Amino acid sequence: MALYEKFLDGVPWYLARHYWWAYLWKRSIWFFDHQPIINAILFGQYQKLMDATLARYQPQDGESALQLTCVYGKLTPSLARQTKHGLHIMDASLDQLALARRKCVDTPLFAARMDAECLAYASDVFDHVVLFFLLHEMPSEAREHTLSEMLRVIRSGGHFMITEYGPLPNRHWLYRFMPFRCLLGRLEPFLPGFWHEDLDEKLNLAAARHGKSVHRIEPSASIFSGFYRVVEYHVSDSD
Ligand SMILES: C[S@@+](CC[C@H](N)C(=O)[O-])C[C@H]1O[C@@H](n2cnc3c(N)ncnc32)[C@H](O)[C@@H]1O
């Protein structure tokens, strides 16, 4: 039995196979949830990415919000503080959900275990959805299902935000440094595929499936010379 199979308790196969060491192993959860470690993984850009995400997250009274999967660091409590009626959060990992709950003792948080590819929420229920560094960790098919599910649960008139790696950074000094590119490709096996995908095109296809369309709200944030991006979209009924 391969080591990763020990982590296959109802989580997506790719999560157990490629990321058990990052999100499912209890020791790694403790290790990675330290600010200096998170900051190092994001080349010192964590605060900028958080700030750009939070600046675009402005739920109004009575609006509902979902963070699509847990993240390390202080994003979840920050989002929860900005959400008057309680932030919803979901993840495939119970340990990640427990960690998120521990960080939000003073703010309402509705945490539920589910698969991002098949959300157990009704259609058109959220006004805001936040995706923080999830898509690049998914195989292309899972990414497609997740975007489709996100566009199903977000109502027309709602907003969503994607904080992620930027489009293929073939001019960035980090990308041009081959040993780094190889290492990153090993640690993040689905990132090269994500780099080559047109995110707006995928979003438009996903939205059309639910009779909706998406419009990017400019300006987007380009961080670390475009290596990362924070993009906000508005959802409406199909044009
Ligand atoms: C949001 S991503 C990356 C987060 C980022 N590296 C960070 O911590 O800032 C990691 C989370 O996504 C979850 N996850 C990945 N695929 C999932 C899926 N299909 N359904 C639910 N949760 C998923 C993992 O369990 C993990 O908690």
Side-chain angles (χ1 to χ4, degrees):
M1 183 181 179
L3 177 59
Y4 79 86
E5 291 179 42
K6 294 193 167 89
F7 294 89
L8 265 175
D9 73 335
V11 302
W13 69 268
Y14 61 83
L15 189 58
R17 172 79 181 79
H18 297 287
Y19 291 107
W20 64 265
W21 56 272
Y23 302 120
L24 304 177
W25 187 29
K26 284 183 198 300
R27 287 180 194 202
S28 66
I29 294 177
W30 171 84
F31 174 76
F32 282 112
D33 197 34
H34 286 92
Q35 218 50 61
I37 308 283
I38 304 166
N39 207 31
I41 291 170
L42 292 169
F43 298 98
Q45 306 300 312
Y46 180 74
Q47 197 58 47
K48 277 191 194 160
L49 288 159
M50 265 256 306
D51 290 348
T53 305
L54 290 171
R56 286 166 174 77
Y57 179 71
Q58 291 166 352
Q60 305 299 307
D61 248 9
E63 290 187 337
S64 54
L66 167 69
Q67 184 188 333
L68 210 55
T69 78
C70 297
V71 295
Y72 291 127
K74 49 194 179 185
L75 180 70
T76 302
S78 306
L79 291 173
R81 273 195 297 277
Q82 286 183 218
T83 316
K84 285 209 174 70
H85 301 285
L87 175 70
H88 288 257
I89 189 166
M90 50 67 54
D91 201 283
S93 156
L94 285 172
D95 289 324
Q96 290 287 344
L97 288 166
L99 178 67
R101 270 204 206 93
R102 288 200 292 278
K103 292 180 190 172
C104 295
V105 280
D106 298 327
T107 40
L109 186 76
F110 305 109
R113 186 186 196 200
M114 61 184 89
D115 186 341
E117 292 186 63
C118 180
L119 293 175
Y121 300 111
S123 301
D124 306 316
V125 288
F126 291 109
D127 298 289
H128 300 269
V129 177
V130 178
L131 265 113
F132 195 87
F133 284 101
L134 172 67
L135 299 174
H136 76 276
E137 293 187 344
M138 301 179 129
S140 179
E141 219 175 59
R143 199 153 49 231
E144 219 168 273
H145 296 156
T146 298
L147 292 179
S148 175
E149 279 295 88
M150 176 182 75
L151 267 308
R152 179 182 68 77
V153 302
I154 192 164
R155 64 168 61 105
S156 174
H159 291 81
F160 65 92
M161 229 174 309
I162 299 183
T163 302
E164 257 303 347
Y165 284 88
L168 186 70
N170 47 5
R171 287 170 183 266
H172 198 283
W173 62 271
L174 260 179
Y175 184 84
R176 292 164 70 118
F177 183 52
M178 217 230 313
F180 167 77
R181 202 162 68 233
C182 294
L183 178 67
L184 198 57
R186 276 199 79 83
L187 295 175
E188 301 275 19
F190 306 110
L191 176 58
F194 177 71
W195 266 332
H196 285 90
E197 272 181 14
D198 181 337
L199 183 57
D200 282 2
E201 185 184 297
K202 296 276 170 193
L203 285 167
N204 280 314
L205 282 173
R209 240 173 260 144
H210 303 286
K212 296 170 188 167
S213 54
V214 296
H215 310 271
R216 191 200 289 218
I217 299 175
E218 298 295 355
S220 303
S222 172
I223 291 170
F224 198 35
S225 306
F227 201 70
Y228 302 117
R229 61 182 144 182
V230 180
V231 199
E232 185 185 4
Y233 295 86
H234 179 249
V235 180
S236 63
D237 287 326
S238 273
D239 299 325

